[in-house]
Amino acid sequence: MNFPVIVTVTLREGIADPEGATIERALPALGFTGVTHVRAGKSFRMSIDAPDEASALEKATALAERLLSNPVIENASARLGATTPGGVE
Amino acid sequence: MNFPVIVTVTLREGIADPEGATIERALPALGFTGVTHVRAGKSFRMSIDAPDEASALEKATALAERLLSNPVIENASARLGATTPGGVE
């Protein structure tokens, strides 16, 4: 069975995030005030063939840690997503 | 009041995603089979000062569409996250 999975990769706390800092600095000039702690990360959607939800999430966590993230500076987490006809949404 | 918000930016359906395709092609060689429809996207975490959850989400959606995504090829969505001492997790 195919399960839709979303993997999110975020920088660990304390790791400098120039992209997030630049976004945060640009916001007031565009009229958005009161936005703080902006952190940029990555998000991957995929469809995983597995016998049940638990094994799909286990496979997603393993591949997120081995392939999609750098464990020295990043955290990876996997969760189930909603299915759409074209894949994962 | 500060609300933790997560903005996810994904490529619209039909838009080519070379990063996702490359990941999908690399997976079998690393021992991960049965993973399909891999799509890469971006994820932004932030803290938004707003009177209530609805206005925080509205502000996040507006800034996601104006600043964080290219509406021609990308979809942006905002949802509330969980709060952690260091910001948004």
Side-chain angles (χ1 to χ4, degrees):
Chain A
M1 204 181 151
N2 274 304
F3 294 93
V5 175
I6 301 173
V7 170
T8 307
V9 177
T10 53
L11 284 167
R12 284 186 191 275
E13 213 173 309
I15 303 289
D17 178 4
E19 187 179 355
T22 305
I23 292 167
E24 195 168 328
R25 245 183 353 253
L27 287 169
L30 289 165
F32 296 103
T33 53
V35 183
T36 51
H37 296 102
V38 180
R39 301 282 283 171
K42 286 174 282 183
S43 160
F44 300 92
R45 283 143 197 266
M46 63 198 73
S47 187
I48 296 190
D49 184 38
D52 52 54
E53 292 186 354
S55 5
L57 279 180
E58 197 184 317
K59 200 191 258 191
T61 307
L63 77 85
E65 283 167 4
R66 277 195 54 195
L67 184 71
L68 303 178
S69 70
N70 174 353
V72 177
I73 57 164
E74 290 170 328
N75 283 320
S77 67
R79 63 189 167 88
L80 286 171
T83 321
T84 57
V88 185
E89 193 52 67
Chain B
M1 203 184 153
N2 275 306
F3 294 94
V5 175
I6 301 173
V7 170
T8 307
V9 176
T10 52
L11 284 168
R12 285 185 190 275
E13 214 173 309
I15 303 289
D17 178 3
E19 187 179 354
T22 304
I23 292 166
E24 195 168 327
R25 243 185 353 255
L27 287 169
L30 289 165
F32 296 103
T33 53
V35 183
T36 51
H37 297 103
V38 180
R39 302 283 281 171
K42 286 173 283 186
S43 161
F44 300 93
R45 282 144 198 265
M46 62 197 76
S47 186
I48 297 190
D49 183 38
D52 52 54
E53 291 186 354
S55 3
L57 279 180
E58 197 183 315
K59 199 191 258 192
T61 308
L63 77 84
E65 283 167 2
R66 277 193 56 196
L67 184 71
L68 302 178
S69 70
N70 174 354
V72 177
I73 57 164
E74 291 171 328
N75 283 319
S77 67
R79 64 190 167 86
L80 287 172
T83 320
T84 58
V88 183
E89 195 51 65

XYZ file of all heavy atoms in Angstrom, chain A residues 2 8-10 13 19 23 26-27 30-50 59 62-64 66-68 75 77 79 84-89, chain B residues 2 8-10 13 19 23 26-27 30-50 59 62-64 66-68 75 77 79 84-89:
684
model
N 0.406 2.299 -0.662
C 1.195 3.536 -0.730
C 0.731 4.550 0.302
O -0.461 4.855 0.376
C 1.068 4.142 -2.126
C 2.080 3.549 -3.079
O 3.270 3.590 -2.797
N 1.614 2.992 -4.178
N 10.247 16.893 6.821
C 10.666 18.274 7.010
C 12.068 18.289 7.596
O 12.347 17.592 8.561
C 9.697 19.011 7.956
O 8.378 18.841 7.456
C 10.012 20.490 7.999
N 12.940 19.083 6.981
C 14.327 19.192 7.440
C 14.548 20.624 7.911
O 14.328 21.578 7.156
C 15.315 18.841 6.307
C 16.752 19.035 6.757
C 15.096 17.410 5.838
N 14.942 20.786 9.157
C 15.154 22.126 9.706
C 16.558 22.217 10.288
O 17.118 21.223 10.724
C 14.152 22.413 10.842
O 14.240 21.348 11.787
C 12.743 22.485 10.328
N 18.805 24.121 16.369
C 18.841 25.376 17.110
C 20.297 25.816 17.313
O 21.150 24.983 17.609
C 18.172 25.159 18.460
C 17.452 26.389 18.963
C 16.667 26.077 20.203
O 15.891 25.109 20.188
O 16.850 26.789 21.186
N 19.502 32.678 5.481
C 18.299 32.839 4.655
C 17.143 33.357 5.523
O 16.465 34.318 5.167
C 17.927 31.495 4.002
C 16.785 31.629 3.009
C 16.437 30.294 2.330
O 17.135 29.293 2.557
O 15.441 30.283 1.580
N 15.239 37.088 5.322
C 13.784 37.216 5.186
C 13.244 38.094 6.310
O 12.460 39.024 6.067
C 13.115 35.822 5.221
C 13.485 35.031 3.969
C 11.603 35.942 5.351
C 13.153 33.551 4.044
N 13.865 41.685 5.733
C 13.160 42.272 4.585
C 11.691 42.536 4.895
O 11.059 43.384 4.255
C 13.274 41.338 3.381
N 11.123 41.828 5.852
C 9.675 41.896 6.082
C 9.139 43.290 6.429
O 8.130 43.708 5.849
C 9.273 40.872 7.153
C 9.295 39.424 6.665
C 9.161 38.467 7.844
C 8.157 39.175 5.680
N 8.316 45.519 3.611
C 7.176 45.095 2.796
C 5.859 45.244 3.551
O 4.803 44.823 3.072
C 7.358 43.634 2.376
C 8.449 43.396 1.335
C 8.796 41.920 1.263
C 7.989 43.887 -0.035
N 5.928 45.809 4.739
C 4.700 46.063 5.489
C 4.317 44.964 6.467
O 3.237 44.999 7.053
N 5.203 43.972 6.666
C 4.886 42.905 7.622
C 5.694 43.123 8.899
O 6.903 42.905 8.908
C 5.206 41.532 7.038
C 4.365 41.188 5.844
C 4.887 41.278 4.569
C 3.049 40.787 6.001
C 4.105 40.965 3.460
C 2.271 40.471 4.902
C 2.787 40.562 3.621
N 5.026 43.568 9.938
C 5.725 43.775 11.206
C 5.354 42.656 12.184
O 4.371 41.941 11.986
C 5.346 45.133 11.810
O 3.917 45.203 11.866
C 5.867 46.279 10.965
N 6.130 42.527 13.228
C 5.820 41.543 14.274
C 6.137 40.107 13.886
O 5.629 39.183 14.490
N 6.977 39.909 12.867
C 7.369 38.543 12.492
C 8.814 38.322 12.946
O 9.711 39.052 12.540
C 7.241 38.316 10.966
C 7.574 36.876 10.621
C 5.846 38.671 10.500
N 9.025 37.330 13.808
C 10.356 37.079 14.363
C 10.697 35.585 14.262
O 9.847 34.778 13.898
C 10.423 37.504 15.838
O 9.318 36.909 16.523
C 10.346 39.015 15.988
N 11.950 35.255 14.654
C 12.411 33.862 14.669
C 12.168 33.142 13.346
O 11.745 31.988 13.346
C 11.718 33.050 15.777
C 12.034 33.541 17.158
N 11.164 34.315 17.877
C 13.123 33.378 17.937
C 11.704 34.602 19.051
N 12.891 34.057 19.108
N 12.434 33.802 12.226
C 12.233 33.145 10.930
C 13.375 32.159 10.692
O 14.546 32.509 10.798
C 12.172 34.179 9.776
C 11.962 33.467 8.453
C 11.067 35.188 10.018
N 13.018 30.904 10.405
C 14.015 29.872 10.123
C 13.620 29.190 8.820
O 12.479 28.778 8.648
C 14.045 28.814 11.232
C 14.347 29.350 12.607
C 15.792 29.646 12.851
N 16.597 28.455 13.090
C 17.933 28.482 13.162
N 18.590 29.612 13.010
N 18.607 27.383 13.380
N 14.570 29.070 7.906
C 14.290 28.434 6.621
C 14.652 26.955 6.691
O 15.605 26.574 7.370
C 15.085 29.122 5.526
N 13.888 26.118 6.029
C 14.173 24.691 5.995
C 13.695 24.082 4.694
O 13.322 24.796 3.768
N 13.720 22.756 4.626
C 13.291 22.064 3.418
C 12.136 21.124 3.730
O 11.961 20.697 4.859
C 14.461 21.255 2.844
C 15.504 22.129 2.177
C 16.710 21.332 1.747
C 17.603 21.037 2.934
N 18.841 20.327 2.577
N 11.360 20.872 2.700
C 10.215 19.990 2.866
C 10.184 19.048 1.661
O 10.378 19.476 0.522
C 8.966 20.885 2.911
O 7.818 20.153 2.629
N 10.010 17.755 1.907
C 9.967 16.781 0.814
C 8.679 15.979 0.933
O 8.345 15.499 2.004
C 11.160 15.821 0.891
C 12.494 16.498 0.802
C 13.166 16.891 1.938
C 13.064 16.763 -0.433
C 14.393 17.522 1.866
C 14.292 17.393 -0.522
C 14.956 17.778 0.629
N 7.965 15.861 -0.174
C 6.771 15.033 -0.191
C 7.054 13.800 -1.017
O 7.723 13.894 -2.033
C 5.617 15.807 -0.836
C 5.021 16.817 0.095
C 4.603 18.078 -0.593
N 4.438 19.116 0.408
C 3.283 19.415 0.981
N 2.184 18.799 0.603
N 3.202 20.325 1.914
N 6.545 12.661 -0.591
C 6.779 11.438 -1.348
C 5.706 10.408 -1.045
O 4.925 10.570 -0.103
C 8.152 10.869 -0.993
C 8.277 10.457 0.455
S 9.991 10.278 0.974
C 10.509 11.978 1.061
N 5.687 9.390 -1.856
C 4.737 8.309 -1.677
C 5.555 7.067 -1.363
O 6.481 6.735 -2.097
C 3.979 8.172 -2.999
O 2.943 7.271 -2.865
N 5.251 6.397 -0.242
C 6.063 5.254 0.185
C 5.224 3.980 0.214
O 4.154 3.941 0.823
C 6.685 5.520 1.574
C 7.654 6.702 1.477
C 7.415 4.276 2.093
C 8.503 6.911 2.703
N 5.747 2.954 -0.458
C 5.076 1.653 -0.477
C 5.496 0.875 0.764
O 6.679 0.589 0.947
C 5.490 0.900 -1.760
C 4.746 -0.410 -1.880
O 3.554 -0.444 -1.520
O 5.357 -1.395 -2.321
N 4.538 0.563 1.633
C 4.847 -0.154 2.878
C 3.604 -0.899 3.324
O 2.486 -0.557 2.930
C 5.302 0.841 3.949
N 10.577 3.985 7.350
C 11.386 4.085 6.131
C 11.684 5.563 5.822
O 12.809 5.922 5.479
C 10.606 3.458 4.965
C 11.457 3.051 3.788
C 10.600 2.695 2.580
C 10.470 1.196 2.386
N 9.858 0.858 1.057
N 14.332 6.937 8.179
C 15.663 6.429 7.839
C 16.220 7.140 6.618
O 17.374 7.580 6.616
C 15.597 4.922 7.601
N 15.402 7.312 5.581
C 15.948 7.950 4.374
C 16.152 9.440 4.578
O 17.074 10.039 4.014
C 15.093 7.627 3.142
C 13.767 8.285 2.830
C 13.959 9.589 2.083
C 12.936 7.353 1.969
N 15.337 10.044 5.446
C 15.516 11.470 5.745
C 16.856 11.689 6.428
O 17.572 12.642 6.127
C 14.387 11.960 6.634
N 19.514 9.611 6.313
C 20.676 9.185 5.524
C 20.885 10.018 4.277
O 22.007 10.199 3.821
C 20.513 7.719 5.097
C 20.952 6.771 6.191
C 21.133 5.365 5.661
N 22.032 5.264 4.507
C 22.096 4.199 3.721
N 21.315 3.167 3.963
N 22.915 4.166 2.700
N 19.777 10.513 3.668
C 19.902 11.130 2.349
C 19.476 12.594 2.308
O 20.051 13.405 1.598
C 19.057 10.320 1.354
C 19.132 10.734 -0.104
C 20.486 10.385 -0.691
C 18.022 10.084 -0.920
N 18.431 12.941 3.067
C 17.841 14.269 2.886
C 18.384 15.324 3.838
O 18.139 16.510 3.648
C 16.310 14.195 3.021
C 15.605 13.236 2.062
C 14.116 13.213 2.339
C 15.855 13.644 0.624
N 17.888 18.780 11.707
C 16.949 17.795 12.238
C 16.003 17.384 11.120
O 15.563 18.231 10.349
C 16.086 18.419 13.336
C 16.815 18.560 14.636
O 17.557 17.676 15.025
N 16.608 19.680 15.322
N 12.299 15.282 10.330
C 11.143 14.603 10.910
C 10.199 14.188 9.797
O 10.099 14.855 8.766
C 10.430 15.516 11.905
O 9.848 16.596 11.221
N 6.192 12.814 8.750
C 4.802 12.643 9.195
C 3.963 12.219 7.997
O 4.364 12.425 6.844
C 4.264 13.930 9.826
C 4.200 15.097 8.871
C 3.873 16.410 9.585
N 4.114 17.534 8.699
C 3.219 18.029 7.850
N 2.014 17.511 7.789
N 3.517 19.038 7.057
N -3.429 12.967 -2.630
C -4.141 13.630 -3.722
C -3.924 12.765 -4.967
O -3.010 11.951 -4.998
C -3.598 15.037 -4.003
O -2.202 14.932 -4.291
C -3.790 15.949 -2.798
N -4.739 12.952 -6.002
C -4.578 12.096 -7.190
C -3.166 12.140 -7.769
O -2.639 11.126 -8.205
C -5.581 12.690 -8.188
C -6.598 13.393 -7.344
C -5.855 13.871 -6.126
N -2.519 13.298 -7.735
C -1.202 13.427 -8.369
C -0.062 12.947 -7.502
O 1.079 12.984 -7.919
N -0.309 12.542 -6.280
C 0.770 12.110 -5.409
C 0.494 12.554 -3.990
O -0.549 12.260 -3.438
N 1.422 13.283 -3.408
C 1.276 13.718 -2.014
C 1.021 15.217 -1.977
O 1.680 15.979 -2.667
C 2.570 13.394 -1.235
C 2.393 13.733 0.222
C 2.927 11.950 -1.399
N 0.054 15.654 -1.184
C -0.183 17.101 -1.039
C -0.051 17.492 0.420
O -0.435 16.775 1.294
C -1.572 17.455 -1.560
C -1.777 18.960 -1.743
C -0.675 19.596 -2.575
O -0.570 19.301 -3.765
O 0.108 20.369 -2.013
N 2.145 36.083 20.474
C 2.951 35.459 19.421
C 2.452 34.062 19.078
O 2.284 33.237 19.967
C 4.409 35.375 19.874
C 5.150 36.660 19.584
O 5.150 37.118 18.439
N 5.737 37.252 20.595
N 4.688 26.347 4.226
C 5.276 25.359 3.330
C 5.076 25.816 1.890
O 3.972 26.192 1.508
C 4.617 23.979 3.535
O 4.682 23.654 4.920
C 5.335 22.908 2.752
N 6.146 25.792 1.130
C 6.097 26.209 -0.273
C 6.411 24.985 -1.133
O 7.463 24.365 -0.957
C 7.107 27.342 -0.556
C 7.123 27.703 -2.029
C 6.777 28.560 0.297
N 5.496 24.609 -2.012
C 5.708 23.442 -2.864
C 5.558 23.843 -4.328
O 4.830 24.776 -4.648
C 4.674 22.351 -2.564
O 3.372 22.938 -2.635
C 4.855 21.780 -1.182
N 1.732 21.339 -9.286
C 1.705 20.088 -10.026
C 2.028 20.349 -11.504
O 1.546 21.330 -12.075
C 0.312 19.478 -9.910
C 0.353 17.972 -9.876
C -1.023 17.409 -9.591
O -1.650 17.843 -8.611
O -1.458 16.560 -10.376
N 15.239 18.348 -8.467
C 15.773 17.921 -7.166
C 15.040 16.663 -6.688
O 15.662 15.673 -6.298
C 15.618 19.059 -6.148
C 16.295 18.753 -4.826
C 16.174 19.900 -3.810
O 15.664 20.980 -4.167
O 16.581 19.690 -2.654
N 16.578 12.788 -6.244
C 16.458 12.032 -4.988
C 15.804 10.679 -5.265
O 16.277 9.635 -4.822
C 15.634 12.838 -3.957
C 16.407 14.069 -3.508
C 15.258 11.965 -2.764
C 15.571 15.092 -2.761
N 18.130 8.259 -6.782
C 19.240 7.822 -5.924
C 18.789 6.808 -4.886
O 19.608 6.034 -4.381
C 19.854 9.038 -5.229
N 17.516 6.794 -4.536
C 17.052 5.972 -3.418
C 17.303 4.467 -3.562
O 17.796 3.845 -2.618
C 15.568 6.251 -3.138
C 15.292 7.599 -2.466
C 13.803 7.905 -2.479
C 15.810 7.579 -1.041
N 20.611 3.193 -2.494
C 20.869 3.270 -1.049
C 20.020 2.270 -0.273
O 19.999 2.276 0.950
C 20.575 4.684 -0.542
C 21.592 5.740 -0.991
C 21.040 7.138 -0.776
C 22.885 5.570 -0.214
N 19.267 1.451 -1.006
C 18.483 0.416 -0.341
C 17.048 0.800 -0.030
O 16.343 0.068 0.655
N 16.616 1.960 -0.503
C 15.227 2.355 -0.255
C 14.392 2.146 -1.516
O 14.509 2.885 -2.486
C 15.146 3.829 0.164
C 15.826 4.099 1.465
C 17.072 4.701 1.492
C 15.234 3.743 2.662
C 17.714 4.947 2.701
C 15.867 3.991 3.871
C 17.106 4.587 3.889
N 13.574 1.105 -1.512
C 12.736 0.851 -2.681
C 11.292 1.246 -2.375
O 10.926 1.447 -1.215
C 12.784 -0.644 -3.052
O 12.462 -1.389 -1.878
C 14.161 -1.037 -3.555
N 10.485 1.385 -3.401
C 9.075 1.680 -3.211
C 8.790 3.130 -2.851
O 7.722 3.439 -2.348
N 9.735 4.029 -3.096
C 9.498 5.449 -2.823
C 9.302 6.165 -4.160
O 10.170 6.123 -5.028
C 10.674 6.084 -2.044
C 10.376 7.537 -1.708
C 10.949 5.294 -0.778
N 8.147 6.777 -4.344
C 7.838 7.439 -5.619
C 7.276 8.846 -5.371
O 7.031 9.220 -4.238
C 6.792 6.624 -6.403
O 5.688 6.355 -5.535
C 7.361 5.303 -6.905
N 7.037 9.582 -6.475
C 6.462 10.927 -6.394
C 7.203 11.850 -5.435
O 6.577 12.598 -4.691
C 4.980 10.876 -5.967
C 4.101 10.167 -6.959
N 3.661 8.884 -6.747
C 3.588 10.553 -8.131
C 2.915 8.504 -7.778
N 2.852 9.506 -8.635
N 8.540 11.799 -5.447
C 9.294 12.676 -4.547
C 9.265 14.104 -5.100
O 9.574 14.338 -6.266
C 10.764 12.200 -4.404
C 11.528 13.123 -3.478
C 10.808 10.777 -3.887
N 8.847 15.047 -4.260
C 8.807 16.460 -4.652
C 9.517 17.266 -3.574
O 9.239 17.114 -2.382
C 7.360 16.967 -4.754
C 6.492 16.210 -5.736
C 6.750 16.566 -7.165
N 6.119 17.815 -7.568
C 6.357 18.416 -8.744
N 7.213 17.881 -9.590
N 5.764 19.531 -9.064
N 10.433 18.125 -3.996
C 11.168 18.946 -3.033
C 10.478 20.295 -2.872
O 9.916 20.831 -3.826
C 12.595 19.138 -3.523
N 10.514 20.822 -1.679
C 9.909 22.130 -1.426
C 10.633 22.837 -0.301
O 11.676 22.379 0.156
N 10.065 23.958 0.149
C 10.695 24.725 1.220
C 9.752 24.831 2.409
O 8.532 24.724 2.262
C 11.048 26.130 0.720
C 12.248 26.147 -0.205
C 12.476 27.509 -0.811
C 11.487 27.770 -1.938
N 11.744 29.029 -2.655
N 10.342 25.018 3.554
C 9.555 25.130 4.770
C 10.124 26.294 5.587
O 11.336 26.426 5.714
C 9.682 23.803 5.525
O 9.330 23.959 6.859
N 9.271 27.176 6.073
C 9.724 28.315 6.872
C 8.975 28.316 8.191
O 7.750 28.178 8.212
C 9.445 29.636 6.144
C 10.123 29.753 4.813
C 9.476 29.371 3.649
C 11.426 30.224 4.712
C 10.103 29.450 2.416
C 12.059 30.311 3.485
C 11.389 29.926 2.328
N 9.713 28.452 9.281
C 9.099 28.553 10.594
C 9.269 29.968 11.093
O 10.313 30.564 10.880
C 9.789 27.595 11.571
C 9.341 26.170 11.379
C 10.444 25.178 11.584
N 10.033 23.930 10.977
C 9.452 22.944 11.648
N 9.258 23.042 12.954
N 9.046 21.855 11.036
N 8.262 30.520 11.735
C 8.378 31.888 12.247
C 7.412 32.100 13.393
O 6.522 31.284 13.642
C 8.084 32.879 11.122
C 6.685 32.780 10.562
S 6.518 33.583 8.965
C 7.323 32.389 7.902
N 7.613 33.199 14.074
C 6.755 33.575 15.182
C 6.050 34.867 14.762
O 6.714 35.820 14.371
C 7.652 33.782 16.396
O 6.906 34.017 17.524
N 4.715 34.887 14.802
C 3.975 36.059 14.319
C 3.171 36.690 15.444
O 2.399 36.019 16.129
C 3.044 35.670 13.146
C 3.884 35.179 11.962
C 2.165 36.843 12.721
C 3.124 35.004 10.685
N 3.372 38.003 15.611
C 2.636 38.743 16.628
C 1.291 39.163 16.033
O 1.248 39.889 15.042
C 3.455 39.977 17.032
C 2.763 40.754 18.140
O 2.184 40.107 19.032
O 2.799 41.989 18.093
N 0.203 38.678 16.616
C -1.141 38.983 16.097
C -2.146 38.854 17.232
O -1.872 38.195 18.242
C -1.489 38.019 14.971
N -1.808 36.808 8.043
C -0.551 37.519 7.805
C 0.478 36.562 7.187
O 1.179 36.911 6.231
C -0.020 38.057 9.139
C 0.992 39.169 9.006
C 1.653 39.465 10.343
C 1.109 40.712 11.020
N 1.969 41.133 12.174
N -0.333 35.906 3.526
C -0.021 37.071 2.691
C 1.483 37.171 2.455
O 1.927 37.365 1.314
C -0.546 38.343 3.355
N 2.282 37.018 3.506
C 3.733 37.156 3.300
C 4.304 35.961 2.543
O 5.275 36.106 1.785
C 4.454 37.415 4.628
C 4.750 36.345 5.666
C 6.031 35.604 5.335
C 4.874 36.987 7.018
N 3.690 34.786 2.704
C 4.143 33.614 1.951
C 3.927 33.844 0.462
O 4.777 33.508 -0.361
C 3.385 32.374 2.403
N 3.594 36.818 -1.086
C 4.321 37.970 -1.613
C 5.823 37.808 -1.577
O 6.540 38.340 -2.427
C 3.945 39.235 -0.823
C 2.651 39.853 -1.330
C 2.471 41.246 -0.768
N 3.582 42.139 -1.035
C 3.767 43.291 -0.387
N 2.931 43.658 0.561
N 4.781 44.079 -0.689
N 6.330 37.105 -0.551
C 7.775 37.115 -0.342
C 8.431 35.739 -0.448
O 9.540 35.606 -0.933
C 8.065 37.708 1.049
C 9.534 37.884 1.421
C 10.163 39.004 0.620
C 9.691 38.146 2.907
N 7.735 34.706 0.028
C 8.400 33.413 0.150
C 8.194 32.484 -1.037
O 8.869 31.472 -1.148
C 7.933 32.702 1.429
C 8.151 33.462 2.741
C 7.611 32.675 3.913
C 9.624 33.733 2.945
N 2.986 26.784 -4.876
C 1.872 26.964 -3.949
C 2.441 27.227 -2.566
O 3.417 26.587 -2.181
C 1.036 25.679 -3.849
C 0.146 25.482 -5.038
O -0.455 26.427 -5.536
N 0.065 24.241 -5.508
N 1.345 27.440 1.635
C 0.287 27.251 2.621
C 0.852 27.515 4.011
O 2.025 27.275 4.272
C -0.281 25.836 2.532
O 0.699 24.919 2.932
N 0.249 27.085 8.310
C -0.495 26.413 9.379
C 0.171 26.749 10.705
O 1.339 27.143 10.751
C -0.531 24.897 9.150
C 0.811 24.222 9.202
C 0.756 22.765 8.735
N 2.083 22.252 8.512
C 2.862 21.717 9.451
N 2.419 21.606 10.683
N 4.070 21.282 9.176
N 8.085 26.229 20.988
C 9.183 25.736 21.817
C 9.885 26.964 22.375
O 9.722 28.060 21.846
C 10.193 24.918 20.991
O 10.679 25.746 19.935
C 9.577 23.666 20.440
N 10.693 26.807 23.429
C 11.350 27.965 24.031
C 12.152 28.786 23.018
O 12.173 30.000 23.078
C 12.264 27.350 25.082
C 11.677 26.016 25.382
C 11.011 25.558 24.135
N 12.809 28.123 22.057
C 13.677 28.834 21.129
C 12.949 29.476 19.958
O 13.567 30.120 19.144
N 11.667 29.304 19.846
C 10.928 29.876 18.729
C 9.865 28.905 18.258
O 9.051 28.436 19.026
N 9.906 28.572 16.976
C 8.901 27.682 16.414
C 9.549 26.333 16.113
O 10.636 26.280 15.571
C 8.323 28.282 15.113
C 7.227 27.396 14.583
C 7.832 29.682 15.348
N 8.895 25.241 16.459
C 9.441 23.918 16.119
C 8.421 23.156 15.288
O 7.235 23.242 15.508
C 9.757 23.155 17.416
C 10.643 21.947 17.175
C 11.877 22.280 16.360
O 12.724 23.041 16.817
O 11.973 21.793 15.224
